[in-house]
């Protein structure tokens, strides 16, 4: 397997985003022709934001799903070949085929994602049974009262500020 | 012939994971024997693989007979054999502990076997996407195991870990996606060739891919700014699970970081991208300091050593960033040594918690008189964590610092010197919290005479509820682990394992030359 044509497409998008000496007008071209990659970036950010900012645990899990779906989109978009046929051998024609490898990867990643969601929801159910709430702020108060979260200025808020900070290296 | 052991070592535990649940329908308590037999087999297989690797050199196995660039490959080289051996030995030892203090259910043993299979997979795979799958198998089973004691607090800690851990694995997958876009291949060895041929080390896709991969692993390893899931998860999990997770799960991710950095991106990539290397070193340095500093502030024992892991893995990450042969040797030694030390420490804490209900530093007061062996082993392991020679903890830190100073000498930069200073400072912090534990164990001056102990033990069941704030977590953890041990004693079999772990940690302190010669083929290949 050698370089995919889509790889060079992503290269072009990166050159523009990295501010290499391409005319500024091409930014619109990127939006027009590489919309899958733009959607990927948007979905990734929305999912991450939901996980950090939404106080509801189930919605955090939905954010997580969105985040993973964005990555599926990246792989699927990278597999696309202009005019390529479905990569099933007897689908007719000699022509170029869409790259099958990313499809297989996404299929596996979907299975992983489904099992993760199942575990996450099971944990949510147990938390709800125990505390009667799915809101993180209420939950933290309950946990603090119960004594199973360090009270005072221990380390609350570490989670969200930590997740926010991971983009910077 | 030996190469068949590689796929078997991954497949057998994963298939065997179905047995405790299936047989559990008919027989009671079938989980432990199944897990024990499987894990003993794995130890044997790991020993055979290690023997083959260290005498005859690395070998690989092509899954399904497809040749590597297309098919998936399993590789056993000097580095992965060491981690493979560590994983199987620690898993087997944990089984001795869980037999004594629980959990004992069939579901626990199924998850345990899946986790072991996943960890072996991480250490042996030679394919980037396959690594993601194994990381997720490890992650999923860890989330389930942490919540295994059925309390609300552990479910919350587990969910927090699940969200952060999945983001980490997903960011790794994004990074792999970028690298795949640039090179069109997923096989580690092939990617390292294709990066040069098709992209080059300064290609934005490759750079962004590596950045995503490092951030993803940082979340999984729990380096400083993104470590916050780890103390909760370690503290809330049942004691046996903490022992297993603290010793192996972050270790597997750190191994993956070393593997991907040096086998896929190679040293030349690090040399060509100063900004990325500096970023890694910065995160590592802050992680070392902050982890040690936060550990000093804790009074819950499990939390204390959880924060200590943040600092120790900072050292491994620093070894990755320094890109020096000696430093990388130190990183690998520290990776293995830290796994052993944390296994021993958490095992000792679990035994003291099971026997005496000790969960906070002040609960340890003068326990050395009642439990001399457990306390002695804890003290030895703690001193090894500080880095007092002769111990494996000293060896790792020594090589990392030496490599840092040497690289500073070679490039004339101050970064290496600063890093060595950071490691020294963190050693002092480590001494600060380990000394507190040892002081309580030996010099608290509390008279635990027979009469008093009778009173204390009487009160143990109910008396533990006297501080509700302090014991809420206690009651939960104790209830879940289903204590069979009588209060005031330490179960013998895990005690033997604990003392053996302490002896091994000290013994490996004399094996510096051995580590050097065993890992030399790998290191000289990486730094060729």
């Amino acid at each position: 397997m050698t370089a995919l044509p889509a790889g060079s497409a992503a290269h072009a998008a990166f050159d523009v985003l990295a501010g290499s000496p391409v005319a500024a007008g091409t930014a619109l071209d990127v939006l027009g022709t590489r919309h899958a990659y733009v959607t990927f970036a948007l979905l990734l950010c929305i999912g991450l934001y939901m996980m950090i900012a939404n106080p509801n645990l189930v919605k955090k899990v939905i954010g997580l799903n969105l985040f993973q779906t964005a990555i599926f989109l990246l792989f699927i978009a990278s597999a696309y070949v202009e005019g390529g046929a479905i990569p099933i051998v007897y689908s007719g024609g000699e022509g170029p085929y869409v790259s099958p490898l990313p499809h297989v990867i996404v299929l596996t990643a979907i299975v992983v994602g489904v099992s993760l969601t199942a575990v996450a929801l099971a944990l949510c159910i147990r938390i709800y049974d125990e505390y009667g709430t799915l809101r993180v702020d209420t939950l933290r108060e309950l946990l603090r009262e119960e004594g199973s979260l360090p009270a005072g200025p221990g380390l609350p808020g570490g989670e969200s500020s930590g997740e926010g900070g991971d983009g910077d290296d | 012939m030996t190469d068949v052991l590689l796929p078997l070592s991954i497949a057998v535990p994963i298939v065997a994971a179905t047995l405790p649940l299936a047989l559990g329908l008919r027989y009671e308590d079938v989980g432990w024997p199944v897990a024990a037999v499987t894990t003993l087999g794995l130890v044997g297989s790991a020993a055979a693989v290690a023997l083959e690797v260290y005498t005859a050199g690395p070998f690989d196995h092509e899954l399904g007979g497809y040749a590597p660039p297309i098919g998936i490959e399993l590789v056993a080289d000097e580095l992965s054999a060491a981690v493979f051996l560590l994983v199987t030995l620690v898993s087997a030892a944990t089984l001795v502990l869980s037999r004594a203090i629980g959990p004992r259910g069939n579901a626990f043993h199924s998850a345990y076997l899946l986790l072991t299979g996943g960890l072996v997979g991480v250490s042996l795979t030679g394919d980037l996407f396959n690594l993601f799958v194994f990381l997720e198998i490890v992650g999923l089973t860890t989330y389930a195991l942490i919540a295994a004691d059925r309390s609300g607090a552990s479910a919350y800690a587990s969910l927090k870990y699940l969200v952060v851990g999945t983001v980490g694995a997903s960011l790794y997958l994004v990074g792999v996606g970028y690298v795949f876009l640039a090179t069109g291949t997923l096989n580690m060895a092939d990617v390292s060739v294709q990066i040069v041929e098709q992209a080059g080390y300064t290609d934005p896709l490759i750079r962004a891919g590596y950045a995503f991969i490092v951030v993803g692993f940082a979340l999984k390893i729990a380096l400083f700014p993104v470590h916050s899931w780890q103390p909760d998860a370690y503290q809330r999990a049942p004691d046996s699970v903490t022992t297993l997770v603290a010793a192996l799960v972050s270790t597997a991710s750190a191994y993956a970081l070393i593997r991907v950095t040096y086998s896929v991106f190679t040293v030349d990539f690090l040399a060509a991208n100063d900004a990325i290397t500096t970023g890694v070193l910065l995160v590592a340095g802050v992680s070392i300091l902050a982890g040690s500093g936060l550990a000093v502030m804790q009074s819950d024992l499990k939390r204390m050593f959880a924060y200590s892991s943040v600092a120790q893995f900072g050292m491994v990450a620093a070894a990755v960033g320094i890109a020096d042969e000696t430093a990388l040797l130190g990183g690998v030694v520290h990776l293995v040594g830290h796994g052993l030390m944390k296994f021993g420490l958490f095992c000792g804490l679990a035994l003291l918690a099971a026997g005496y209900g000790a969960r906070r530093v002040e609960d340890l007061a003068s326990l050395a008189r009642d439990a001399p062996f457990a306390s002695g082993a804890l003290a030895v392991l703690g001193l090894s964590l500080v880095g007092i020679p002769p111990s494996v903890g000293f060896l790792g830190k020594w090589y990392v610092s030496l490599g840092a100073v040497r690289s500073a000498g070679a490039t004339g930069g101050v970064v290496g010197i600063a890093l060595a200073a950071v490691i020294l400072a963190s050693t002092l912090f480590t001494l600060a919290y380990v000394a507190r534990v040892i002081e309580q164990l030996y010099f608290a001056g509390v008279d635990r005479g027979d009469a008093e102990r009778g009173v204390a033990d009487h009160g143990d069941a109910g008396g533990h509820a006297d501080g509700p704030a302090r014991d809420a977590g206690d009651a939960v953890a104790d209830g879940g682990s289903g204590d069979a041990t009588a209060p005031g004693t330490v179960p013998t079999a895990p005690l033997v394992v604990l003392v053996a772990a302490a002896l091994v940690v000290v013994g490996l302190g004399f094996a510096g030359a051995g580590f050097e010669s065993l890992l030399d083929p790998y290191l000289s290949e990486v730094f060729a």
Side-chain angles (χ1 to χ4, degrees):
Chain A
M1 176 152 321
T2 48
L4 298 162
S8 49
H11 267 278
F14 259 94
D15 286 343
V16 174
L17 294 178
S20 58
V22 184
T26 51
L28 269 181
D29 283 352
V30 172
L31 273 182
T33 56
R34 314 274 180 247
H35 42 79
Y37 294 101
V38 176
T39 319
F40 151 72
L42 278 179
L43 273 180
L44 203 71
C45 294
I46 294 172
L48 196 61
Y49 179 76
M50 252 178 106
M51 268 182 279
I52 295 170
N54 204 301
N56 188 308
L57 286 178
V58 173
K59 289 185 185 167
K60 274 186 198 285
V61 175
I62 296 176
L64 192 65
N65 279 326
L66 217 54
F67 189 82
Q68 293 183 312
T69 312
I71 300 169
F72 304 159
L73 182 62
L74 169 73
F75 276 95
I76 292 293
S78 76
Y80 181 69
V81 176
E82 192 78 51
I86 307 169
I88 301 172
V89 173
Y90 71 100
S91 70
E94 294 287 295
Y97 291 109
V98 170
S99 170
L101 185 55
H103 293 207
V104 180
I105 288 176
V106 169
L107 213 54
T108 316
I110 286 175
V111 174
V112 170
V114 168
S115 5
L116 274 166
T117 313
V119 175
L121 291 179
L123 291 171
C124 285
I125 291 173
R126 191 191 295 171
I127 290 172
Y128 189 79
D129 281 349
E130 191 95 2
Y131 299 106
T133 179
L134 283 174
R135 284 185 64 87
V136 174
D137 37 4
T138 327
L139 195 61
R140 277 173 182 275
E141 264 169 43
L142 288 171
L143 283 168
R144 218 163 268 145
E145 277 168 28
E146 175 188 282
S148 45
L149 208 68
L155 303 148
E159 182 188 23
S160 49
S161 64
E163 278 182 6
D166 55 2
D168 46 13
D169 75 328
Chain B
M1 183 53 217
T2 351
D3 72 308
V4 184
L5 283 176
L6 302 181
L8 280 183
S9 303
I10 299 169
V12 167
I14 291 181
V15 172
T18 57
L19 291 181
L21 285 180
L23 295 177
L25 296 174
R26 237 199 122 115
Y27 310 98
E28 299 252 314
D29 282 337
V30 73
W32 195 82
V34 170
V37 168
T38 314
T39 316
L40 277 182
L42 279 184
V43 172
S45 150
V49 168
L51 194 68
E52 175 80 13
V53 165
Y54 291 127
T55 54
F59 59 95
D60 57 1
H61 175 86
E62 298 160 5
L63 282 183
Y66 293 99
I70 308 281
I72 295 173
E73 177 185 33
L74 299 176
V75 184
D77 65 0
E78 289 81 8
L79 177 59
S80 52
V83 177
F84 184 19
L85 206 55
L86 174 79
V87 165
T88 53
L89 284 177
V90 170
S91 314
T94 308
L95 219 46
V96 178
L97 178 68
S98 79
R99 180 69 170 173
I101 64 168
R104 298 193 182 78
N106 288 331
F108 165 78
H109 289 105
S110 281
Y112 161 89
L113 283 171
L114 274 178
L115 177 59
T116 313
L119 288 166
V120 174
V122 169
S123 62
L124 291 181
T125 183
D127 183 277
L128 285 174
F129 183 72
N130 202 227
L131 178 60
F132 166 77
V133 174
F134 283 124
L135 279 175
E136 285 293 46
I137 292 179
V138 169
L140 270 168
T141 45
T142 312
Y143 312 143
L145 282 173
I146 284 173
D149 74 353
R150 315 207 152 275
S151 75
S154 69
Y156 181 62
S158 170
L159 188 63
K160 197 164 151 184
Y161 181 18
L162 186 148
V163 171
V164 177
T166 308
V167 171
S170 302
L171 287 177
Y172 168 75
L173 187 58
V174 174
V176 170
Y178 282 17
V179 173
F180 174 66
L181 285 182
T183 62
T185 172
L186 287 169
N187 179 277
M188 289 186 188
D190 196 33
V191 169
S192 71
V193 176
Q194 299 296 335
I195 285 180
V196 185
E197 284 185 5
Q198 303 203 20
Y201 289 124
T202 50
D203 187 290
L205 264 180
I206 299 292
R207 280 178 170 168
Y210 185 71
F212 272 115
I213 288 176
V214 167
V215 173
F217 281 139
L219 280 153
K220 281 254 170 201
I221 300 172
L223 293 180
F224 171 64
V226 286
H227 68 286
S228 60
W229 59 266
Q230 197 215 34
D232 282 336
Y234 284 13
Q235 186 190 4
R236 296 297 154 210
D239 287 343
S240 316
V241 174
T242 312
T243 310
L244 188 61
V245 170
L248 295 181
V249 171
S250 290
T251 306
S253 303
Y255 158 80
L257 175 66
I258 296 180
R259 168 67 68 202
V260 170
T261 305
Y262 286 101
S263 297
V264 178
F265 286 90
T266 70
V267 189
D268 298 330
F269 172 81
L270 291 179
N273 292 285
D274 266 347
I276 291 180
T277 332
T278 315
V280 171
L281 286 177
L282 195 68
V283 169
V286 174
S287 200
I288 296 173
L289 278 184
S292 304
L294 286 167
V296 175
M297 286 154 52
Q298 306 303 316
S299 50
D300 185 286
L301 288 163
K302 278 165 91 178
R303 264 188 114 75
M304 176 190 281
F305 287 109
Y307 278 113
S308 137
S309 284
V310 176
Q312 307 304 321
F313 280 114
M315 254 168 248
V316 176
V320 170
I322 294 170
D324 175 271
E325 197 169 335
T326 315
L328 186 61
L329 171 66
V332 175
V333 171
H334 202 57
L335 187 72
V336 174
H338 172 266
L340 285 172
M341 289 188 283
K342 275 292 147 64
F343 163 76
L345 284 167
F346 280 107
C347 176
L349 294 179
L351 292 179
L352 291 182
Y356 305 94
R359 301 218 159 257
R360 302 173 64 83
V361 176
E362 55 267 27
D363 296 346
L364 291 177
S366 292
L367 263 186
R369 286 180 206 168
D370 291 353
F373 289 108
S375 308
L378 260 187
V380 168
L381 289 161
L383 290 176
S384 163
L385 192 67
V386 176
I388 311 262
S391 66
V392 72
F394 166 75
L395 269 191
K397 283 187 185 181
W398 168 252
Y399 281 128
V400 175
S401 320
L402 192 66
V405 174
R406 258 188 34 179
S407 78
T411 57
V414 285
V415 185
I417 303 288
L419 212 57
V422 162
I423 293 176
L424 186 67
S426 110
T427 302
L428 291 177
F429 278 126
T430 315
L431 184 61
Y433 60 79
V434 170
R436 260 173 76 209
V437 171
I438 295 179
E439 188 227 344
Q440 280 292 322
L441 279 173
Y442 284 94
F443 308 114
V446 178
D447 185 21
R448 298 177 71 94
D450 280 0
E452 279 218 84
R453 183 155 42 133
V455 175
D457 281 353
H458 248 291
D460 228 25
H464 251 293
D466 58 1
R470 157 190 135 188
D471 278 308
D474 247 34
V476 159
D478 285 347
S481 50
D483 275 310
T485 38
T489 58
V490 169
T492 317
L495 187 62
V496 172
V497 170
L498 170 62
V499 172
L503 291 178
V504 167
V505 163
V506 173
L508 284 181
F510 294 102
F515 276 119
E516 233 168 300
S517 64
L518 283 185
L519 289 170
D520 186 58
Y522 172 74
L523 292 171
S524 46
E525 188 196 324
V526 162
F527 287 93

